[in-house]
Amino acid sequence: MTEVTHDQLLGERLQLTQLPRGHRVGTDAVLLAAMTADINATDIVDVGAATGAIGLMLGLKNTKAHLVFIEQDKQLAELCLKNVSQNGFSERAEVINADIFDKNSLKALGIKAGIADLVVTNPPFVEEGEVRLSPDIAKQKAHALPKGGLDLWIKAAAYLLRAKGTMALIQRADKLLECLEAFPKDFGAFRIRMIHPREGEAAVRVVIRAIKGRKSPTIIEAPLYLHGSDGKFTLEAEVMHRGDWSAQ
């Protein structure tokens, strides 16, 4: 039997079974969900879902939304399905074990263009050749894309959105321009928020939201500082991790 851990998110409101090594859910997933929770979505797709944390967190907020989780790793997809079940989402969610780059396979599984009004994604943070990859195969798959893969990933995720739908992603801060260049030309109304470990330090992550078929001006939001001088979460970061998103 595969070894797993049993964890909780959002003040123990979300139960998460995951692998002890490889891809494990952390702050990035919580931040993306928290910064997307204000969107009243009816059809949510979590691209590269892994064990499903981001989509499930949004499912708690959007209680009537239909959820689709797309994950190419079979083992992670099986854990995602388990998490869907143990959190009571089985009647309004489906898990698709497929490669986001393979449109034909996705279509065969019923995943077509324009199925979502909200797509969320946490793409792998590096591409082949950028860094020395971990010898752990699971970590490689979770954190590395083929050369040019970030551009392809964003375009593949955008393909799933209907007009006026929103895509939201979290990525390394130094990949901001690369991400913006990857969005198809019909996207606009960008909202960009930089995430810093603490005040006075360079940003390490960025959350980008954009709407398909809208050309409103870009908004650069106030930065998020994760930790104070005492090393603890700032109040805003703590609220996000509790899942008390109405208090933001």
Side-chain angles (χ1 to χ4, degrees), residues 71-73 76 124 136-145 153:
E71 172 53 50
Q72 70 167 348
D73 184 281
L76 291 177
D136 186 314
I137 299 300
K139 285 186 177 180
Q140 286 186 25
K141 290 182 177 179
H143 297 292
L145 286 165
W153 184 287

Side-chain angles (χ1 to χ4, degrees), residues 79-106:
L79 288 173
C80 183
L81 187 61
K82 179 178 178 63
N83 290 327
V84 164
S85 175
Q86 71 179 339
N87 285 283
F89 290 91
S90 295
E91 292 186 358
R92 60 185 181 103
E94 54 186 308
V95 178
I96 305 298
N97 181 203
D99 185 343
I100 185 61
F101 298 143
D102 188 345
K103 287 184 180 180
N104 290 332
S105 293
L106 290 172

